[in-house]
Amino acid sequence: SERHFELPKGIVEELHSGAADASPRARRSPETLERRMANAAMAYERDRYSDALNALKPVLLAAPASASARELHGLILYRLGRWRAAAKELREFHVLSGSYDQHPVIADCERAIGRYKKVRELWDEMRKAGVDKDVLTEGRLVMAGTLADEGDLDAAIELLRSEAKPRKNPDLAHLRTWYALADLYERAGDLPRARELFGRVAHFAPSILDAPERLAALL
């Protein structure tokens, strides 16, 4: 059964504004746009990305200046592996909103295409903008992965190492950093450090990542 999905007030206002400015051909009632946006968001949450894309299309036509619609569109395209289109949409979201929240996703798209210089530029933008911890963590992980892709495992390890101190109550950002660093250590042949970090992740979150299996393979 479809549960009711209530859009935040700011998104509703964006859609109403877009509906008023739409060309006659693209025009939809604000209520239709709200329903379509909510359906797209629900489908995205449930990993039904093609359904989400279809639901969102009229919203994008009627309200192209809606930052929220462009953001969701970019994230759907990212999940579908359409890297160039996703990066384009999420850059447009940044222009419309001023938000850096999706910069790590844009960076990951650029990494997938092999445009490593663009990844560095985005990483620099994130650091200078003073983004919040979770966004910075995601950006750092993408940058470290890019360095590893380029064959510079030492630089990748150095980038993550200062953020990988032991903690009594790690959050998901810490766990993902430990896991990524463990993977880099394993690739670099430093198996004791890889074991220690995979062990840490396995201890705190045995079911989130495949750390227990990765650890077992190194014992």
Side-chain angles (χ1 to χ4, degrees), residues 74-87:
L75 292 173
I76 294 166
L77 293 169
Y78 174 73
R79 294 295 183 184
L80 291 169
R82 293 169 57 183
W83 313 122
R84 290 175 194 276

Side-chain angles (χ1 to χ4, degrees), residues 7-159:
L7 296 172
K9 184 182 175 186
I11 295 178
V12 171
E13 288 172 355
E14 269 184 21
L15 296 177
H16 281 241
S17 174
D21 296 336
S23 67
R25 192 174 176 185
R27 193 162 291 153
R28 298 285 190 281
S29 73
E31 294 74 26
T32 297
L33 296 183
E34 283 181 52
R35 187 177 70 251
R36 284 287 198 153
M37 184 78 171
N39 288 345
M42 276 195 294
Y44 176 81
E45 270 194 0
R46 295 168 180 173
D47 303 333
R48 299 194 333 248
Y49 303 123
S50 294
D51 292 344
L53 204 55
N54 288 332
L56 194 61
K57 276 177 184 172
V59 182
L60 295 165
L61 284 170
S66 165
S68 303
R70 301 298 281 269
E71 179 183 30
L72 181 56
H73 189 211
L75 292 173
I76 294 166
L77 293 169
Y78 174 73
R79 294 295 183 184
L80 291 169
R82 293 169 57 183
W83 313 122
R84 290 175 194 276
K88 184 172 181 289
E89 278 296 86
L90 293 174
R91 285 183 193 278
E92 191 59 34
F93 159 72
H94 169 66
V95 170
L96 289 167
S97 67
S99 169
Y100 289 83
D101 286 358
Q102 301 304 338
H103 263 45
V105 183
I106 303 172
D108 205 35
C109 292
E110 299 291 9
R111 178 189 171 194
I113 300 165
R115 296 198 294 211
Y116 300 142
K117 184 181 175 187
K118 295 282 188 189
V119 178
R120 281 184 171 77
E121 289 170 3
L122 289 157
W123 171 233
D124 285 342
E125 284 180 31
M126 280 182 262
R127 288 188 298 166
K128 288 172 184 169
V131 298
D132 71 36
K133 182 177 75 88
D134 289 341
V135 175
L136 195 65
T137 294
E138 290 300 317
R140 186 181 292 107
L141 290 171
V142 176
M143 188 64 235
T146 300
L147 290 165
D149 290 347
E150 292 178 309
D152 196 345
L153 287 172
D154 288 346
I157 288 168
E158 190 61 34
L159 184 59

